Amino acid sequence: MLELEGVVKRYRGAGEEVHAVDGVNLSVSAGETVSLVGPSGSGKTTLLLLIAALLQPDRGTIRFDGRDLSSLSESEASDYLLRDVGFIYQNYHLMPRVSAIENTSIKLLLGGVGSREAQAIARPWLERVGLGDRLRHKPHELSGGERQRIAIARALAGQPKLILADEPTGNLESARSGEIIELLSSIAHERGAAVLLVTHD
């Protein structure tokens, strides 16, 4: 499902060249969960951004379902990110003025689903991450761990084929962290999704 061959990404700045991603080969199959472990600053987030087609590699090939991501037009890349990818960002990326259920349903709305139906789809995902009693709360009314769980529910609500998780349990206590890892793994099995999870832990 996901294949990387010889992927390289370098950044230039302050008189030096940083090899953020240097010749990575990786494959993740449908239904498989792969964890990528490494210290902060080792290029894990850069790799996820490349796979999400939010960055272009300097060299190498990234294919999803047989398509070379570097060959996608801007609109095709946006469509891939909207429909195929569930990206769990490390820093939540929630809209501050709307409720948990509205934040969770945003990708569905962008994909053309009506508001009532989008919220009906989003609700069980919030319940699965333990926020069934926080549907109408706005981000500032929630803890960091609760905001992280909204971000996870939002990524899963669109039933993506590929889940990219950037430190998804970084703001959660250990018991909740285990539940979230189990949830991502069960989604991989239930829906045949590929999961790539990066962590320093």
Side-chain angles (χ1 to χ4, degrees):
M1 179 174 274
L2 176 67
E3 299 170 282
L4 282 71
E5 292 179 5
V7 174
V8 172
K9 183 65 179 178
R10 295 174 181 154
Y11 296 111
R12 290 166 188 83
E16 64 175 333
E17 185 175 74
V18 176
H19 294 230
V21 175
D22 197 11
V24 170
N25 297 298
L26 173 70
S27 66
V28 187
S29 301
E32 184 178 21
T33 300
V34 173
S35 294
L36 181 63
V37 181
S40 294
S42 61
K44 302 183 306 295
T45 297
T46 297
L47 187 64
L48 290 188
L49 294 172
L50 288 163
I51 294 167
L54 292 167
L55 289 177
Q56 288 287 326
D58 295 326
R59 285 206 317 270
T61 306
I62 303 172
R63 282 188 294 273
F64 179 75
D65 271 355
R67 290 185 302 169
D68 183 345
L69 297 186
S70 63
S71 72
L72 300 180
S73 67
E74 198 168 313
S75 67
E76 288 171 334
S78 295
D79 196 55
Y80 159 72
L81 187 56
L82 179 65
R83 300 187 190 284
D84 292 326
V85 178
F87 201 127
I88 302 169
Y89 296 92
Q90 191 174 358
N91 296 318
Y92 323 132
H93 290 223
L94 300 179
M95 294 185 296
R97 294 186 179 86
V98 303
S99 68
I101 196 161
E102 290 170 303
N103 264 294
T104 304
S105 59
I106 187 65
K107 278 187 74 173
L108 297 165
L109 294 171
L110 291 171
V113 178
S115 178
R116 189 184 302 251
E117 184 185 352
Q119 291 192 20
I121 293 168
R123 180 187 297 266
W125 291 104
L126 284 167
E127 291 168 352
R128 283 186 80 170
V129 298
L131 293 175
D133 59 346
R134 298 280 195 274
L135 301 180
R136 301 296 166 194
H137 287 62
K138 294 179 180 172
H140 73 272
E141 300 170 317
L142 300 167
S143 70
E146 288 169 330
R147 290 196 290 269
Q148 180 74 330
R149 284 184 275 151
I150 293 171
I152 291 165
R154 177 186 58 199
L156 299 178
Q159 299 182 21
K161 295 180 186 175
L162 175 63
I163 298 166
L164 302 174
D166 191 3
E167 303 278 2
T169 61
N171 295 293
L172 305 177
E173 68 276 9
S174 59
R176 186 65 75 179
S177 293
E179 290 172 19
I180 293 300
I181 297 302
E182 277 186 34
L183 173 62
L184 292 175
S185 199
S186 70
I187 296 303
H189 289 295
E190 284 171 25
R191 304 191 181 279
V195 178
L196 180 59
L197 182 154
V198 304
T199 180
H200 67 274
D201 184 354

